[in-house]
Amino acid sequence: MKMGELGRTVNLGVIGVGGRGWGQVEVLAQMKDVCIKVICDKHQDRVDNLIEYLHKENLVDYPIDGTLVDEEVLCRDDIEAVVIMSDWETHIDLAIRAMRHGKYVAMEVGGAASVNECWEMVRTAQQTGLDVMLLENCCYNNEEMALLNMVRAGVFGEIVHCKGGYQHDLRDEIGWGDENRHYRLHNFLNRNGELYPTHEMGPIAKYLDLNYGNRMVSLVSMASKAVGMNDYLRRERPDCAHANATFREGDIVTTMIKCANGETIVLTHDCTLPRPYSRGGHIQGTRGLWQEDNRRIYIEGEASEVIDGWLHVGVDDKEWMDKYKSDLWKEYEEFGLRGGHGGMDYLVFRGFIEALQQKTHFPIDVYDTAAWMAITALSEDSIANGSMPVAFPDFTDGKWMLRKDEAVGPYKLGK
Amino acid sequence: MKMGELGRTVNLGVIGVGGRGWGQVEVLAQMKDVCIKVICDKHQDRVDNLIEYLHKENLVDYPIDGTLVDEEVLCRDDIEAVVIMSDWETHIDLAIRAMRHGKYVAMEVGGAASVNECWEMVRTAQQTGLDVMLLENCCYNNEEMALLNMVRAGVFGEIVHCKGGYQHDLRDEIGWGDENRHYRLHNFLNRNGELYPTHEMGPIAKYLDLNYGNRMVSLVSMASKAVGMNDYLRRERPDCAHANATFREGDIVTTMIKCANGETIVLTHDCTLPRPYSRGGHIQGTRGLWQEDNRRIYIEGEASEVIDGWLHVGVDDKEWMDKYKSDLWKEYEEFGLRGGHGGMDYLVFRGFIEALQQKTHFPIDVYDTAAWMAITALSEDSIANGSMPVAFPDFTDGKWMLRKDEAVGPYKLGK
């Protein structure tokens, strides 16, 4: 389907319209083959204000219902899918209930609270014949897609090691917490693990063909002490309720993952110390290396400079990113970028909508969703047991070995 | 003691003069308060050639004996210390035997083969009243010393997390192996662990006051598959004996360490894939971050730029490195740099020689040496057991809690 071409109308219900959900509804509203039938949130003002805004700004020309009761969304007959953008810990339960009501699911990112809820989601998808797509926008980012092209073209040789992180100074947002009605605060106060793995893990999973000929087999995590939030709040908001609270979430949580094909992955969760934003991308193989933090690529015999006769360094990655730009992004740039986060929010939604229209399974499917989200629960288990390794569940029940040709959309293998 | 000032003459024996040892003897030879009495290697040609070279180039004006028998060095009455620069796996045994013969020890870097040999070295030092100094030159590098000043000045706030690596493409050196009489080949063929931790771990240990009020309490390692050497050798030297050998050392070995005071450390061993050299330094605290790979520092409210109104980035670290330059390096630059690796080889030897002259304990002492080297054996244990966490031995037997004021030389606390 050409970009901008309209398919049949997809009727949706939306649950959760806080900061993220609000912005995402604006992205959906501009799609002329999408109809948002109902918007749900636990706060009445959010529902009312968003519906009023959509009409006032002429972003939609159809009526939208509002409700405080998620079950009223899930049981509607006039929608085929639900978009879940509520608190992290409600995602999987809502996804399961939506499928039981016969609805497909798109779900904003976050981590799982237990491995069991991931299994339950997978089993429900299998039993209902439905599917869940994690809206991992970073899988659709220009650079990550160019890197996937490079990986598949063999630029880095055989891939051996990948790194990534969610390295985002969120002290202010976490600190506002309940006053801001944001779910991060209670997670950082109560949990200790890799709370938000998917922005880096999603693209890495695609580089390594996880669930499509490869899988994660074990995981181990370690957490540093937690001193960043208190240091910040005592200075910036000394009178707030949790300035001296005990935060359980270590400031830096590092997670190592081993894959069936022998690759290792290192993830870093880093949200409560001052730092520039970075997803800390790193792809390394037998022929070369790419690193996000210095925006350099180093390819044996190709992208390499020698300084002072001995110091081998890489080159700026820009030319390589352009050379390996994905077909999707070439088309997208011609079409015109839209939506949040540099355009990737729009693309990930189009991946979801077009899979529904074309009746393919999702480019990020329930097995991917379960595996990526399970990292959070597994990392909590590992840390709780003093950095014991934990076995990684195979949510495909062995089918990962035979699914090589099942990847769809931009992730189709051999493309 | 002012730099360049001569103390009493220190008589030394030297064991191991391959590539590294040869260069280090040249550094020692230029010190007018050092007398090299005897040089030992298992290869006669190395001994003969080096002694001949030292005299021919007028680097020394005194006689030097040569021997193939290490015991002949250790039992000499006319030396007070032995400098060990032989194969990795011989270091600790030689150190123990040297102390039993009443000699102080300086030892080139490498990792331990067992935790027990580390204990044996510590016990021998305690029984004999002698000491062992690991010649960790990176502890004396300009930048690492400036960073130590920043850490101690509180620039980064409370330190939470450090990273480092030995990331050095050594495929050519490893590949030559036996033909080159180098010890790396048999280690990479047979072992799987963090083989070479101290270049990054030494400076980190100083930042975190390890053994001086803090210590490492647990460690866990994970190794990737090993494909880099075969990929390289099959292309570059297809007829060599080990082109198709099974290398056990994973291309990337990642190690996570937890400290008593709650900090975490992540080490990366990366020697068999194409890449630019980097020790991957990273220091992170409640007020800021330094990263080696992009040469940037980010300090809340100070070293920080905002691009396009939202993207917070750090600044080039050069100005900060200059501002926090160590007193030792200020003096050294005035005196004139000498010796290998940008001058740090000379400084670490002066640390050793001057401690002998002044009868202080070593700036890097037997407890530091044991702890840093033990990482190798512990990481092998962890990997062999599927990335199980291993308890880190406390070689100080609890004295780390009370040793805060015992750091000497440039590492003296509160300086």
Side-chain angles (χ1 to χ4, degrees), chain A residues 12-18 21-29 35-55 59-60 62-74 76 78-79 81-83 85:
Chain A
L12 299 176
V14 169
I15 300 175
V17 288
W22 181 295
Q24 291 289 69
V25 166
E26 286 190 78
V27 176
L28 285 170
C35 179
I36 303 166
K37 291 286 185 186
V38 56
I39 288 175
C40 170
D41 196 280
K42 61 183 173 182
H43 301 290
Q44 185 75 54
D45 58 311
R46 284 182 182 165
V47 175
D48 295 343
N49 291 344
L50 179 53
I51 294 174
E52 184 190 333
Y53 169 82
L54 291 170
H55 287 124
L59 297 173
V60 300
Y62 49 78
I64 302 179
D65 296 333
T67 176
L68 294 177
V69 184
D70 53 38
E71 190 70 14
E72 285 182 14
V73 177
L74 305 180
R76 281 175 79 116
D78 61 347
I79 61 172
V82 176
V83 180
M85 302 185 285

Short mmCIF file of all heavy atoms in Angstrom, two decimals, chain A residues 12-18 21-29 35-55 59-60 62-74 76 78-79 81-83 85:
data_model
loop_
_atom_site.label_atom_id
_atom_site.label_comp_id
_atom_site.label_asym_id
_atom_site.label_seq_id
_atom_site.Cartn_x
_atom_site.Cartn_y
_atom_site.Cartn_z
N LEU A 12 -11.88 2.12 16.13
CA LEU A 12 -11.05 1.87 17.31
C LEU A 12 -11.71 2.39 18.58
O LEU A 12 -12.46 3.38 18.54
CB LEU A 12 -9.72 2.62 17.19
CG LEU A 12 -8.78 2.30 16.04
CD1 LEU A 12 -7.59 3.25 16.09
CD2 LEU A 12 -8.31 0.86 16.15
N GLY A 13 -11.32 1.79 19.69
CA GLY A 13 -11.54 2.39 21.00
C GLY A 13 -10.19 2.70 21.63
O GLY A 13 -9.22 1.98 21.37
N VAL A 14 -10.12 3.75 22.42
CA VAL A 14 -8.87 4.18 23.01
C VAL A 14 -9.01 4.21 24.53
O VAL A 14 -10.00 4.75 25.04
CB VAL A 14 -8.49 5.59 22.50
CG1 VAL A 14 -7.34 6.18 23.30
CG2 VAL A 14 -8.15 5.54 21.02
N ILE A 15 -8.03 3.62 25.22
CA ILE A 15 -8.06 3.64 26.69
C ILE A 15 -6.78 4.28 27.21
O ILE A 15 -5.68 3.80 26.92
CB ILE A 15 -8.21 2.22 27.27
CG1 ILE A 15 -9.51 1.57 26.78
CG2 ILE A 15 -8.15 2.25 28.79
CD1 ILE A 15 -9.69 0.12 27.20
N GLY A 16 -6.93 5.36 27.97
CA GLY A 16 -5.77 6.04 28.55
C GLY A 16 -5.34 7.22 27.72
O GLY A 16 -4.70 7.06 26.69
N VAL A 17 -5.73 8.43 28.16
CA VAL A 17 -5.36 9.62 27.39
C VAL A 17 -4.71 10.67 28.30
O VAL A 17 -5.11 11.83 28.33
CB VAL A 17 -6.57 10.19 26.61
CG1 VAL A 17 -6.90 9.28 25.43
CG2 VAL A 17 -7.78 10.39 27.51
N GLY A 18 -3.69 10.20 29.05
CA GLY A 18 -2.83 11.16 29.76
C GLY A 18 -1.94 11.83 28.72
O GLY A 18 -2.28 11.90 27.54
N GLY A 21 -1.13 9.40 25.74
CA GLY A 21 -2.33 8.99 25.04
C GLY A 21 -2.94 10.15 24.26
O GLY A 21 -3.38 9.99 23.11
N TRP A 22 -2.96 11.31 24.86
CA TRP A 22 -3.50 12.51 24.20
C TRP A 22 -2.78 12.76 22.88
O TRP A 22 -3.40 12.90 21.82
CB TRP A 22 -3.35 13.71 25.14
CG TRP A 22 -3.89 15.01 24.62
CD1 TRP A 22 -3.42 15.72 23.54
CD2 TRP A 22 -4.98 15.78 25.13
NE1 TRP A 22 -4.14 16.86 23.36
CE2 TRP A 22 -5.12 16.93 24.33
CE3 TRP A 22 -5.87 15.60 26.22
CZ2 TRP A 22 -6.09 17.90 24.58
CZ3 TRP A 22 -6.82 16.58 26.46
CH2 TRP A 22 -6.94 17.71 25.64
N GLY A 23 -1.47 12.76 22.93
CA GLY A 23 -0.69 13.01 21.72
C GLY A 23 -0.92 11.95 20.66
O GLY A 23 -1.02 12.24 19.47
N GLN A 24 -1.04 10.72 21.11
CA GLN A 24 -1.23 9.62 20.16
C GLN A 24 -2.62 9.66 19.50
O GLN A 24 -2.77 9.28 18.34
CB GLN A 24 -1.01 8.27 20.86
CG GLN A 24 0.44 8.00 21.27
CD GLN A 24 1.35 7.73 20.08
OE1 GLN A 24 1.62 8.64 19.28
NE2 GLN A 24 1.80 6.50 19.96
N VAL A 25 -3.60 10.10 20.25
CA VAL A 25 -4.93 10.25 19.66
C VAL A 25 -4.89 11.30 18.55
O VAL A 25 -5.52 11.15 17.50
CB VAL A 25 -5.98 10.59 20.74
CG1 VAL A 25 -7.29 11.08 20.10
CG2 VAL A 25 -6.24 9.38 21.63
N GLU A 26 -4.12 12.35 18.75
CA GLU A 26 -3.98 13.35 17.69
C GLU A 26 -3.38 12.74 16.43
O GLU A 26 -3.75 13.10 15.31
CB GLU A 26 -3.10 14.51 18.17
CG GLU A 26 -3.79 15.44 19.16
CD GLU A 26 -2.95 16.69 19.42
OE1 GLU A 26 -2.95 17.59 18.58
OE2 GLU A 26 -2.26 16.71 20.46
N VAL A 27 -2.43 11.82 16.61
CA VAL A 27 -1.83 11.16 15.45
C VAL A 27 -2.88 10.30 14.73
O VAL A 27 -3.00 10.34 13.51
CB VAL A 27 -0.63 10.28 15.88
CG1 VAL A 27 -0.07 9.51 14.68
CG2 VAL A 27 0.46 11.12 16.53
N LEU A 28 -3.65 9.55 15.50
CA LEU A 28 -4.69 8.68 14.91
C LEU A 28 -5.78 9.51 14.23
O LEU A 28 -6.30 9.11 13.18
CB LEU A 28 -5.33 7.82 16.00
CG LEU A 28 -4.51 6.65 16.51
CD1 LEU A 28 -5.17 6.05 17.76
CD2 LEU A 28 -4.33 5.58 15.43
N ALA A 29 -6.11 10.64 14.84
CA ALA A 29 -7.23 11.44 14.35
C ALA A 29 -6.97 11.95 12.93
O ALA A 29 -7.90 12.16 12.16
CB ALA A 29 -7.49 12.60 15.30
N CYS A 35 -11.37 5.55 12.52
CA CYS A 35 -12.46 6.23 13.22
C CYS A 35 -12.39 5.87 14.71
O CYS A 35 -12.47 4.69 15.08
CB CYS A 35 -13.81 5.80 12.64
SG CYS A 35 -15.21 6.57 13.47
N ILE A 36 -12.18 6.88 15.53
CA ILE A 36 -12.10 6.66 16.98
C ILE A 36 -13.53 6.73 17.52
O ILE A 36 -14.14 7.79 17.56
CB ILE A 36 -11.22 7.74 17.64
CG1 ILE A 36 -9.82 7.73 17.01
CG2 ILE A 36 -11.15 7.53 19.15
CD1 ILE A 36 -8.98 8.95 17.33
N LYS A 37 -14.04 5.60 17.93
CA LYS A 37 -15.44 5.55 18.36
C LYS A 37 -15.62 5.99 19.81
O LYS A 37 -16.65 6.54 20.18
CB LYS A 37 -15.98 4.11 18.22
CG LYS A 37 -16.14 3.66 16.78
CD LYS A 37 -17.35 4.34 16.18
CE LYS A 37 -17.63 3.84 14.77
NZ LYS A 37 -18.73 4.61 14.15
N VAL A 38 -14.60 5.69 20.63
CA VAL A 38 -14.78 5.92 22.06
C VAL A 38 -13.41 6.17 22.73
O VAL A 38 -12.41 5.55 22.35
CB VAL A 38 -15.52 4.74 22.74
CG1 VAL A 38 -14.79 3.42 22.49
CG2 VAL A 38 -15.73 4.95 24.23
N ILE A 39 -13.42 7.08 23.67
CA ILE A 39 -12.21 7.40 24.43
C ILE A 39 -12.51 7.18 25.91
O ILE A 39 -13.54 7.64 26.42
CB ILE A 39 -11.77 8.86 24.18
CG1 ILE A 39 -11.19 8.98 22.77
CG2 ILE A 39 -10.78 9.32 25.24
CD1 ILE A 39 -10.83 10.40 22.36
N CYS A 40 -11.58 6.47 26.58
CA CYS A 40 -11.77 6.14 28.00
C CYS A 40 -10.56 6.57 28.80
O CYS A 40 -9.41 6.44 28.36
CB CYS A 40 -11.96 4.62 28.12
SG CYS A 40 -11.93 4.00 29.80
N ASP A 41 -10.80 7.09 29.99
CA ASP A 41 -9.73 7.38 30.93
C ASP A 41 -10.34 7.32 32.32
O ASP A 41 -11.56 7.44 32.47
CB ASP A 41 -9.12 8.77 30.66
CG ASP A 41 -7.77 8.93 31.34
OD1 ASP A 41 -7.74 9.20 32.57
OD2 ASP A 41 -6.73 8.77 30.67
N LYS A 42 -9.51 7.16 33.33
CA LYS A 42 -10.07 7.11 34.68
C LYS A 42 -10.37 8.52 35.20
O LYS A 42 -11.00 8.68 36.24
CB LYS A 42 -9.17 6.32 35.63
CG LYS A 42 -7.78 6.86 35.82
CD LYS A 42 -6.95 5.92 36.73
CE LYS A 42 -5.51 6.38 36.77
NZ LYS A 42 -4.65 5.51 37.58
N HIS A 43 -9.89 9.54 34.48
CA HIS A 43 -10.16 10.93 34.88
C HIS A 43 -11.12 11.56 33.88
O HIS A 43 -10.80 11.69 32.69
CB HIS A 43 -8.86 11.73 34.92
CG HIS A 43 -7.84 11.17 35.88
ND1 HIS A 43 -8.00 11.22 37.25
CD2 HIS A 43 -6.66 10.52 35.67
CE1 HIS A 43 -6.95 10.64 37.84
NE2 HIS A 43 -6.13 10.20 36.90
N GLN A 44 -12.27 11.97 34.36
CA GLN A 44 -13.31 12.55 33.50
C GLN A 44 -12.80 13.76 32.71
O GLN A 44 -13.11 13.92 31.52
CB GLN A 44 -14.51 12.96 34.37
CG GLN A 44 -15.72 13.46 33.57
CD GLN A 44 -16.47 12.31 32.89
OE1 GLN A 44 -16.86 11.34 33.56
NE2 GLN A 44 -16.65 12.39 31.59
N ASP A 45 -12.02 14.60 33.37
CA ASP A 45 -11.58 15.84 32.70
C ASP A 45 -10.74 15.53 31.46
O ASP A 45 -10.83 16.20 30.44
CB ASP A 45 -10.81 16.74 33.67
CG ASP A 45 -9.61 16.05 34.27
OD1 ASP A 45 -9.75 14.91 34.76
OD2 ASP A 45 -8.50 16.63 34.25
N ARG A 46 -9.93 14.51 31.54
CA ARG A 46 -9.12 14.15 30.38
C ARG A 46 -9.99 13.77 29.18
O ARG A 46 -9.76 14.19 28.06
CB ARG A 46 -8.19 12.97 30.70
CG ARG A 46 -7.00 13.32 31.55
CD ARG A 46 -6.14 12.06 31.73
NE ARG A 46 -4.98 12.31 32.57
CZ ARG A 46 -4.24 11.33 33.12
NH1 ARG A 46 -4.58 10.06 32.92
NH2 ARG A 46 -3.20 11.62 33.86
N VAL A 47 -11.00 12.93 29.46
CA VAL A 47 -11.90 12.47 28.39
C VAL A 47 -12.62 13.66 27.78
O VAL A 47 -12.61 13.85 26.56
CB VAL A 47 -12.92 11.45 28.95
CG1 VAL A 47 -13.93 11.07 27.88
CG2 VAL A 47 -12.20 10.23 29.50
N ASP A 48 -13.23 14.48 28.62
CA ASP A 48 -14.02 15.62 28.14
C ASP A 48 -13.13 16.60 27.37
O ASP A 48 -13.49 17.06 26.28
CB ASP A 48 -14.67 16.36 29.32
CG ASP A 48 -15.69 15.48 30.03
OD1 ASP A 48 -16.11 14.46 29.44
OD2 ASP A 48 -16.03 15.80 31.19
N ASN A 49 -11.99 16.92 27.94
CA ASN A 49 -11.14 17.93 27.30
C ASN A 49 -10.63 17.46 25.95
O ASN A 49 -10.56 18.23 25.00
CB ASN A 49 -9.93 18.26 28.20
CG ASN A 49 -10.35 18.99 29.46
OD1 ASN A 49 -11.47 19.51 29.52
ND2 ASN A 49 -9.48 19.01 30.46
N LEU A 50 -10.27 16.17 25.86
CA LEU A 50 -9.73 15.68 24.60
C LEU A 50 -10.80 15.66 23.50
O LEU A 50 -10.56 16.10 22.37
CB LEU A 50 -9.11 14.28 24.79
CG LEU A 50 -8.53 13.64 23.53
CD1 LEU A 50 -7.52 14.55 22.83
CD2 LEU A 50 -7.85 12.30 23.87
N ILE A 51 -11.98 15.16 23.85
CA ILE A 51 -13.05 15.10 22.84
C ILE A 51 -13.41 16.52 22.38
O ILE A 51 -13.56 16.79 21.18
CB ILE A 51 -14.28 14.35 23.40
CG1 ILE A 51 -13.90 12.88 23.63
CG2 ILE A 51 -15.47 14.45 22.43
CD1 ILE A 51 -14.99 12.05 24.30
N GLU A 52 -13.48 17.43 23.33
CA GLU A 52 -13.80 18.82 22.99
C GLU A 52 -12.72 19.41 22.07
O GLU A 52 -13.01 20.06 21.07
CB GLU A 52 -13.92 19.65 24.28
CG GLU A 52 -14.34 21.09 24.04
CD GLU A 52 -14.22 21.96 25.30
OE1 GLU A 52 -14.30 21.40 26.42
OE2 GLU A 52 -14.00 23.19 25.14
N TYR A 53 -11.47 19.13 22.43
CA TYR A 53 -10.32 19.63 21.65
C TYR A 53 -10.34 19.09 20.21
O TYR A 53 -10.16 19.83 19.25
CB TYR A 53 -9.03 19.23 22.37
CG TYR A 53 -7.76 19.45 21.59
CD1 TYR A 53 -7.16 20.71 21.54
CD2 TYR A 53 -7.13 18.39 20.92
CE1 TYR A 53 -5.98 20.91 20.83
CE2 TYR A 53 -5.95 18.58 20.21
CZ TYR A 53 -5.38 19.83 20.17
OH TYR A 53 -4.21 20.02 19.47
N LEU A 54 -10.61 17.81 20.07
CA LEU A 54 -10.61 17.18 18.73
C LEU A 54 -11.66 17.82 17.82
O LEU A 54 -11.42 18.03 16.64
CB LEU A 54 -10.86 15.67 18.84
CG LEU A 54 -9.74 14.85 19.48
CD1 LEU A 54 -10.21 13.41 19.74
CD2 LEU A 54 -8.47 14.84 18.62
N HIS A 55 -12.78 18.15 18.41
CA HIS A 55 -13.85 18.77 17.60
C HIS A 55 -13.55 20.24 17.36
O HIS A 55 -13.71 20.74 16.26
CB HIS A 55 -15.20 18.58 18.29
CG HIS A 55 -15.71 17.17 18.18
ND1 HIS A 55 -16.05 16.40 19.28
CD2 HIS A 55 -15.90 16.36 17.11
CE1 HIS A 55 -16.43 15.20 18.90
NE2 HIS A 55 -16.34 15.14 17.58
N LEU A 59 -10.17 18.25 14.15
CA LEU A 59 -9.29 17.11 13.89
C LEU A 59 -10.11 15.87 13.53
O LEU A 59 -9.62 14.98 12.85
CB LEU A 59 -8.40 16.83 15.10
CG LEU A 59 -7.43 17.99 15.43
CD1 LEU A 59 -6.70 17.71 16.74
CD2 LEU A 59 -6.43 18.20 14.30
N VAL A 60 -11.35 15.81 13.99
CA VAL A 60 -12.25 14.72 13.57
C VAL A 60 -13.60 15.34 13.19
O VAL A 60 -13.99 16.38 13.73
CB VAL A 60 -12.47 13.66 14.67
CG1 VAL A 60 -11.16 13.02 15.07
CG2 VAL A 60 -13.17 14.26 15.88
N TYR A 62 -16.44 13.34 13.23
CA TYR A 62 -17.42 12.32 13.63
C TYR A 62 -17.56 12.36 15.15
O TYR A 62 -16.65 12.86 15.84
CB TYR A 62 -16.98 10.94 13.15
CG TYR A 62 -15.54 10.57 13.48
CD1 TYR A 62 -15.18 10.14 14.76
CD2 TYR A 62 -14.55 10.65 12.50
CE1 TYR A 62 -13.87 9.80 15.05
CE2 TYR A 62 -13.23 10.32 12.78
CZ TYR A 62 -12.89 9.89 14.05
OH TYR A 62 -11.59 9.56 14.33
N PRO A 63 -18.68 11.86 15.67
CA PRO A 63 -18.86 11.87 17.12
C PRO A 63 -17.95 10.86 17.81
O PRO A 63 -17.64 9.81 17.23
CB PRO A 63 -20.33 11.47 17.30
CG PRO A 63 -20.66 10.70 16.06
CD PRO A 63 -19.81 11.26 14.96
N ILE A 64 -17.51 11.17 19.01
CA ILE A 64 -16.70 10.24 19.82
C ILE A 64 -17.35 10.15 21.19
O ILE A 64 -17.64 11.17 21.82
CB ILE A 64 -15.25 10.75 19.97
CG1 ILE A 64 -14.59 10.92 18.60
CG2 ILE A 64 -14.44 9.79 20.85
CD1 ILE A 64 -13.16 11.43 18.68
N ASP A 65 -17.58 8.93 21.64
CA ASP A 65 -18.12 8.74 22.99
C ASP A 65 -17.00 8.84 24.01
O ASP A 65 -15.83 8.60 23.71
CB ASP A 65 -18.78 7.36 23.12
CG ASP A 65 -19.98 7.20 22.20
OD1 ASP A 65 -20.61 8.23 21.88
OD2 ASP A 65 -20.25 6.06 21.79
N GLY A 66 -17.39 9.16 25.24
CA GLY A 66 -16.43 9.18 26.34
C GLY A 66 -16.92 8.30 27.46
O GLY A 66 -18.14 8.17 27.67
N THR A 67 -15.99 7.69 28.18
CA THR A 67 -16.39 6.85 29.33
C THR A 67 -15.26 6.75 30.33
O THR A 67 -14.08 6.90 29.99
CB THR A 67 -16.81 5.43 28.88
OG1 THR A 67 -17.10 4.64 30.04
CG2 THR A 67 -15.69 4.74 28.11
N LEU A 68 -15.64 6.47 31.56
CA LEU A 68 -14.65 6.22 32.62
C LEU A 68 -14.45 4.72 32.83
O LEU A 68 -13.59 4.32 33.61
CB LEU A 68 -15.12 6.84 33.94
CG LEU A 68 -15.22 8.36 33.99
CD1 LEU A 68 -15.79 8.80 35.34
CD2 LEU A 68 -13.84 8.99 33.78
N VAL A 69 -15.23 3.91 32.13
CA VAL A 69 -15.28 2.47 32.41
C VAL A 69 -14.66 1.70 31.24
O VAL A 69 -15.24 1.65 30.16
CB VAL A 69 -16.74 2.01 32.63
CG1 VAL A 69 -16.79 0.53 33.01
CG2 VAL A 69 -17.40 2.87 33.69
N ASP A 70 -13.49 1.11 31.47
CA ASP A 70 -12.80 0.45 30.36
C ASP A 70 -13.65 -0.68 29.75
O ASP A 70 -13.64 -0.90 28.55
CB ASP A 70 -11.40 -0.04 30.76
CG ASP A 70 -11.39 -0.90 32.01
OD1 ASP A 70 -12.33 -1.70 32.19
OD2 ASP A 70 -10.43 -0.78 32.79
N GLU A 71 -14.40 -1.39 30.60
CA GLU A 71 -15.23 -2.50 30.10
C GLU A 71 -16.23 -2.01 29.03
O GLU A 71 -16.56 -2.77 28.11
CB GLU A 71 -15.96 -3.15 31.29
CG GLU A 71 -16.66 -4.44 30.98
CD GLU A 71 -15.73 -5.62 30.70
OE1 GLU A 71 -14.51 -5.52 30.99
OE2 GLU A 71 -16.21 -6.64 30.15
N GLU A 72 -16.65 -0.78 29.15
CA GLU A 72 -17.60 -0.24 28.15
C GLU A 72 -16.94 -0.09 26.78
O GLU A 72 -17.60 -0.13 25.76
CB GLU A 72 -18.15 1.11 28.61
CG GLU A 72 -19.17 1.01 29.73
CD GLU A 72 -19.73 2.37 30.14
OE1 GLU A 72 -19.52 3.36 29.41
OE2 GLU A 72 -20.36 2.43 31.21
N VAL A 73 -15.64 0.10 26.79
CA VAL A 73 -14.90 0.14 25.51
C VAL A 73 -14.77 -1.28 24.96
O VAL A 73 -15.07 -1.55 23.81
CB VAL A 73 -13.51 0.77 25.70
CG1 VAL A 73 -12.71 0.73 24.39
CG2 VAL A 73 -13.62 2.19 26.23
N LEU A 74 -14.30 -2.16 25.84
CA LEU A 74 -13.94 -3.51 25.40
C LEU A 74 -15.12 -4.28 24.82
O LEU A 74 -14.94 -5.10 23.92
CB LEU A 74 -13.34 -4.31 26.58
CG LEU A 74 -12.14 -3.65 27.29
CD1 LEU A 74 -11.66 -4.54 28.43
CD2 LEU A 74 -11.01 -3.37 26.31
N ARG A 76 -17.80 -3.10 23.23
CA ARG A 76 -18.55 -2.48 22.11
C ARG A 76 -18.49 -3.35 20.86
O ARG A 76 -17.47 -3.95 20.55
CB ARG A 76 -17.95 -1.11 21.78
CG ARG A 76 -18.38 -0.01 22.74
CD ARG A 76 -17.65 1.26 22.42
NE ARG A 76 -18.27 1.95 21.28
CZ ARG A 76 -18.85 3.15 21.38
NH1 ARG A 76 -18.91 3.78 22.54
NH2 ARG A 76 -19.35 3.71 20.31
N ASP A 78 -19.02 -2.06 17.81
CA ASP A 78 -18.69 -1.26 16.62
C ASP A 78 -17.20 -0.96 16.49
O ASP A 78 -16.81 -0.09 15.72
CB ASP A 78 -19.49 0.05 16.63
CG ASP A 78 -19.17 0.91 17.86
OD1 ASP A 78 -18.53 0.38 18.81
OD2 ASP A 78 -19.53 2.10 17.86
N ILE A 79 -16.36 -1.64 17.25
CA ILE A 79 -14.91 -1.46 17.10
C ILE A 79 -14.25 -2.82 16.89
O ILE A 79 -14.75 -3.84 17.37
CB ILE A 79 -14.26 -0.76 18.32
CG1 ILE A 79 -14.45 -1.58 19.60
CG2 ILE A 79 -14.81 0.65 18.50
CD1 ILE A 79 -13.69 -1.05 20.79
N ALA A 81 -10.71 -3.00 17.25
CA ALA A 81 -9.42 -2.99 17.96
C ALA A 81 -9.43 -1.93 19.06
O ALA A 81 -10.17 -0.95 18.99
CB ALA A 81 -8.29 -2.71 16.99
N VAL A 82 -8.57 -2.16 20.05
CA VAL A 82 -8.44 -1.25 21.18
C VAL A 82 -6.99 -0.77 21.25
O VAL A 82 -6.06 -1.57 21.08
CB VAL A 82 -8.82 -1.96 22.50
CG1 VAL A 82 -8.60 -1.05 23.69
CG2 VAL A 82 -10.26 -2.44 22.44
N VAL A 83 -6.83 0.52 21.48
CA VAL A 83 -5.49 1.08 21.66
C VAL A 83 -5.32 1.43 23.13
O VAL A 83 -6.07 2.25 23.67
CB VAL A 83 -5.30 2.34 20.78
CG1 VAL A 83 -3.89 2.92 20.98
CG2 VAL A 83 -5.53 2.00 19.31
N MET A 85 -3.26 2.90 26.25
CA MET A 85 -2.19 3.86 26.55
C MET A 85 -2.30 4.33 28.00
O MET A 85 -1.97 5.47 28.32
CB MET A 85 -2.30 5.03 25.57
CG MET A 85 -2.19 4.53 24.12
SD MET A 85 -2.16 5.81 22.88
CE MET A 85 -3.87 6.31 22.86
#
